[in-house]
Amino acid sequence: MNIGQAAKASGVSAKMIRYYEETGLVMHAQRSEKGYRLYSEKDVHTLRFVRRARDLGFTVDRIADLLALWRDTGRQSAEVKQMAIGHVAALRKKITDLEEMAATLEHLADCCAGDHRPDCPILSDIATGAHGPAKSAHRFGALSDKKS
Amino acid sequence: MNIGQAAKASGVSAKMIRYYEETGLVMHAQRSEKGYRLYSEKDVHTLRFVRRARDLGFTVDRIADLLALWRDTGRQSAEVKQMAIGHVAALRKKITDLEEMAATLEHLADCCAGDHRPDCPILSDIATGAHGPAKSAHRFGALSDKKS
DNA sequence: ATTGACCTTGCAATGATTGGAACCTCTATT
DNA sequence: AATAGAGGTTCCAATCATTGCAAGGTCAAT
């Protein structure tokens, strides 16, 4: 099947399939005489694996590791479990960071009259930094995912 | 004061100060005879505002809005509150997405023996997609913040 | 005068993804 | 057979916030 079919069947966009191939995450696809990429059911299966791992928040690098483990029938499940646990920890860390932000902001919003008057504890707080430094977690733009 | 001092005083790196100036988030700094950027206490105050807003997870675009409201002494606090509430909602949405990922993965990890044997429900699940599609939330790389 | 710290600009890379342009191929209909 | 439209190919650019590097100018003190 062509890349469009594979995309539909796997849930990975054609663009991303090409990207994954280019970066070596997945094998180079076979080509037809005229240069079209050709995909087997097995290829689609692999792409679905990638898609699901991505949905679980793994980075492409981690997914490469997972794919290697998946293909290695002699793997030790301990390795996989370790990766999963490490990832869960990263997720939880990020969650607490976001929760701190949300809690701070929610508290400020609660303190704000939200009417026609200009007085606003939210702005005052941001300006003076009365709340504890909400640590890291920048580059948040990536979170406002287009797909959300 | 020079950009280095302003960076230290505001918590915004010199690089980012230049970037914010270039993109118009903050005003162009005054310059010395030899072209060095010069900052006043007021400038540093503004930069600190930006830093704190960033720490609360606002995007640069939103911060521009916040800055405008901050400077507009005739603003209505309702506007600010609305922005804050909207942002809290975005944060909460992201949190639930991450929580779903973490919960799924944690469950899988719990089901995995994690020993020398190759059998691994984590990999099986990712491969077959037994769990519900964990919706969106890709581009997760940005979450593994270098500052974390 | 030299050193080292600091400043300037500009360009590239990050990570995952999308978009577009220019061009080629396949299939179906006129 | 000609043509249209859908879908394939490559390459290049943009996103968002941030960092790094390089080549060069400036400032302070030794």
Side-chain angles (χ1 to χ4, degrees):
Chain A
M1 78 185 83
N2 287 339
I3 199 171
Q5 264 75 51
K8 248 173 230 164
S10 66
V12 179
S13 74
K15 278 272 194 203
M16 289 311 297
I17 294 177
R18 294 194 195 97
Y19 171 75
Y20 291 150
E21 175 181 318
E22 186 192 323
T23 58
L25 180 65
V26 300
M27 296 286 104
H28 281 238
Q30 282 195 304
R31 298 291 186 126
S32 74
E33 284 182 15
K34 292 299 174 54
Y36 280 27
R37 285 177 182 79
L38 298 174
Y39 296 88
S40 67
E41 280 303 327
K42 184 164 163 289
D43 293 328
V44 169
H45 197 205
T46 302
L47 288 170
R48 256 197 296 258
F49 183 99
V50 171
R51 176 96 210 314
R52 298 233 172 72
R54 202 184 50 170
D55 284 346
L56 286 171
F58 285 100
T59 63
V60 168
D61 276 1
R62 291 298 111 201
I63 296 177
D65 295 341
L66 286 172
L67 273 176
L69 287 167
W70 186 41
R71 289 182 183 125
D72 174 13
T73 54
R75 77 210 157 219
Q76 301 188 188
S77 62
E79 256 191 282
V80 186
K81 187 166 183 174
Q82 207 45 53
M83 276 192 60
I85 288 174
H87 189 56
V88 167
L91 289 166
R92 297 251 182 257
K93 163 89 171 67
K94 191 49 57 180
I95 288 168
T96 57
D97 285 352
L98 295 179
E99 263 168 0
E100 191 185 331
M101 292 184 208
T104 300
L105 209 46
E106 200 158 56
H107 170 68
L108 292 176
D110 283 350
C111 296
C112 176
D115 55 18
H116 64 289
R117 290 170 299 174
D119 318 87
C120 180
I122 301 170
L123 290 179
S124 311
D125 187 279
I126 297 178
T128 65
H131 66 268
K135 289 168 196 165
S136 64
H138 313 135
R139 303 177 63 186
F140 179 68
L143 289 179
S144 47
D145 203 339
K146 273 117 191 170
K147 303 198 179 169
S148 299
Chain B
M1 80 185 83
N2 286 339
I3 199 171
Q5 262 77 50
K8 247 173 230 165
S10 66
V12 180
S13 74
K15 276 277 193 199
M16 289 313 295
I17 295 178
R18 293 193 197 99
Y19 171 75
Y20 290 150
E21 175 181 318
E22 186 192 322
T23 58
L25 180 65
V26 301
M27 297 285 104
H28 281 239
Q30 282 195 304
R31 297 292 186 124
S32 72
E33 283 182 17
K34 291 300 174 52
Y36 280 28
R37 284 177 182 80
L38 298 175
Y39 296 88
S40 66
E41 278 304 326
K42 184 165 163 287
D43 294 329
V44 169
H45 197 204
T46 301
L47 288 170
R48 256 196 296 257
F49 183 100
V50 171
R51 177 94 210 314
R52 297 230 173 74
R54 201 184 51 170
D55 284 346
L56 286 171
F58 286 99
T59 63
V60 168
D61 276 1
R62 292 297 110 202
I63 296 177
D65 296 342
L66 287 173
L67 272 177
L69 288 168
W70 187 42
R71 289 182 183 124
D72 174 14
T73 55
R75 78 213 158 218
Q76 301 187 187
S77 63
E79 258 193 280
V80 186
K81 187 166 182 171
Q82 208 44 55
M83 276 193 59
I85 288 173
H87 189 56
V88 167
L91 289 166
R92 297 251 183 259
K93 163 89 173 67
K94 190 51 54 181
I95 288 169
T96 57
D97 285 352
L98 295 178
E99 264 169 358
E100 191 185 331
M101 293 185 207
T104 301
L105 208 47
E106 198 157 58
H107 170 69
L108 291 176
D110 283 348
C111 297
C112 176
D115 56 17
H116 65 287
R117 289 170 299 173
D119 318 87
C120 179
I122 302 171
L123 290 178
S124 311
D125 186 281
I126 297 178
T128 64
H131 65 268
K135 289 167 197 166
S136 64
H138 314 132
R139 304 178 61 187
F140 179 67
L143 290 180
S144 47
D145 201 338
K146 273 118 190 165
K147 304 200 178 169
S148 301

